[in-house]
């Protein structure tokens, strides 16, 4: 296991847009003071305008200036071997603990490099070139949208784990039973590595509906009622979203999950309020 205790708690941040003020990421990281994650992961942009050095630079800042272990994301389908080497070298210099190896989504008008067709190809490559890096992978409790069915997706996930992934982080989900059923299916398929549950707090109606469309996340009735009731009242919806995410996390911990990965969406205030609710569940009990 990557960490010496369970459940673990981790956060995800993303690099600010190219034209954002330089201090934006500091606002996010400063705002997370008081939250005690086991690591922070930093996403990697696939778009044409993405800055290839941003993930490594922010990873370095988090580790050096905030003293928090970092996992850097890397998407592979538009990279050739030189591009992957360049990114991995930057990550090593930033002293990241691990790399979340991803295929990434398709970008309109961009032709894949044809070297890393699946995340598992990148996983194998990292294992061969950087054997000391821990390799993380993504998983999809409700199945990846391109997979024909969940069992096919889990078969592919097993290939990714066999290629060298030692820790999985899940796509967001709003119904804990979907995640817990998926974990049982993955275990039955021989996947034994830790599986962290991805939780994205509800912030606005558009975000949840969009996620439902893009990742096929099922929206339970309780959440649907919240969205209806507070669709025009942002403040109340956020408050309810914090309660909803906190309850999801508390129930997951009660059910023995390996860990929880909170998608902060660079909103530290929301993350802090969730941590105030559930932080004690992640610290070892004192007698
Ligand atoms: P893969 O594991 O390659 O799977 C993609 C599809 O191919 C699935 O349908 C799978 O069943 C199938 N497949 C996999 N292996 C095989 C095989 N050997 N043979 C046949 N079929 C196969 N995107 C970003 O752009 N930047 C990020 O930083 C980012 N971070 C993410 C973090 C997490 C935790 C998650 C869950 C997603 C993240 N994404 C990110 C989104 C991700 O890039 C997309 O979901 C993408 O569509 C799939 O990436 P993957 O690595 O899971 O792909």
């Amino acid at each position: 296991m990557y960490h010496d205790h369970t459940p673990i708690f981790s956060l995800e941040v993303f690099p600010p847009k190219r034209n954002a003020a330089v201090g934006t990421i500091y606002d996010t990281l400063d705002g997370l003071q008081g939250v005690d994650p086991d690591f922070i992961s930093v996403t990697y942009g696939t778009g044409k305008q993405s800055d290839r050095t941003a993930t490594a630079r922010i990873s370095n800042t988090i580790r050096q200036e905030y003293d928090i272990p970092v996992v850097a994301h890397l998407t592979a389908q538009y990279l050739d071997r030189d591009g992957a080497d360049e990114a991995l070298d930057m990550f090593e210099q930033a002293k990241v603990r691990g790399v979340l190896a991803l295929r990434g989504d398709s970008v309109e008008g961009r032709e894949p490099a044809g070297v890393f067709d699946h995340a598992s190809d990148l996983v194998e490559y990292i294992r061969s070139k950087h054997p000391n890096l821990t390799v993380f992978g993504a998983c999809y409790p409700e199945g990846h949208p391109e997979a024909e069915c969940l069992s096919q997706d889990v078969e592919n996930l097993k290939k990714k784990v066999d290629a060298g992934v030692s820790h999985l982080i899940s796509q967001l989900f709003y119904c804990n039973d979907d995640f817990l059923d998926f974990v049982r299916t993955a275990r039955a398929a021989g996947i034994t590595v830790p599986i962290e549950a991805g939780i994205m707090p509800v912030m606005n109606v558009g975000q949840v509906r969009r996620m439902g469309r893009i990742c096929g996340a099922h929206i339970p009735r309780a959440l649907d009622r919240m969205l209806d009731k507070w669709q025009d009242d942002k403040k109340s919806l956020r408050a309810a979203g914090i309660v909803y995410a906190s309850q999801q996390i508390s129930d997951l911990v009660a059910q023995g999950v390996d860990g929880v990965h909170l998608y902060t969406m660079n909103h530290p205030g929301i993350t802090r309020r969730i941590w105030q609710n559930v932080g004690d569940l992640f610290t070892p009990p004192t007698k």
Side-chain angles (χ1 to χ4, degrees), residues 244-262:
Y244 191 90
S246 304
Q247 280 176 341
Q248 263 196 290
I249 294 170
S250 146
D251 178 50
L252 288 165
V253 174
Q255 305 233 36
V257 290
D258 297 320
V260 171
H261 185 72
L262 192 67

Side-chain angles (χ1 to χ4, degrees), residues 12-15 41-47 55 72-77 100-107 116-121 137-141 143-150 152-157 159-160 168-172 196 198 215 261 263:
E12 179 178 297
V13 298
F14 52 79
S41 82
V42 185
T43 66
Y44 189 89
T46 305
T55 303
H73 299 203
L74 182 62
T75 59
Q77 69 171 322
L100 175 51
L102 297 147
R103 182 201 68 182
D105 283 320
S106 301
V107 177
F116 305 110
D117 293 335
H118 301 291
S120 53
D121 301 321
C139 62
Y140 301 84
H144 185 270
E146 290 165 31
E148 267 170 33
C149 57
L150 184 61
Q152 186 208 50
D153 200 34
V154 170
E155 258 176 51
N156 291 332
L157 183 63
K159 291 181 202 158
K160 183 155 73 176
L168 291 167
I169 301 180
S170 94
Q171 179 61 285
L172 68 94
E196 261 190 276
C215 6
H261 185 72
Y263 294 99

Side-chain angles (χ1 to χ4, degrees), residues 109-166:
R110 256 189 111 176
E111 204 46 47
V115 178
F116 305 110
D117 293 335
H118 301 291
S120 53
D121 301 321
L122 179 64
V123 174
E124 241 172 64
Y125 188 70
I126 299 175
R127 297 296 322 134
S128 68
K129 298 274 285 198
H130 298 263
N132 295 329
L133 275 178
T134 302
V135 186
F136 290 61
C139 62
Y140 301 84
E142 295 167 81
H144 185 270
E146 290 165 31
E148 267 170 33
C149 57
L150 184 61
S151 62
Q152 186 208 50
D153 200 34
V154 170
E155 258 176 51
N156 291 332
L157 183 63
K158 176 79 167 66
K159 291 181 202 158
K160 183 155 73 176
V161 172
D162 290 346
V165 164
S166 52

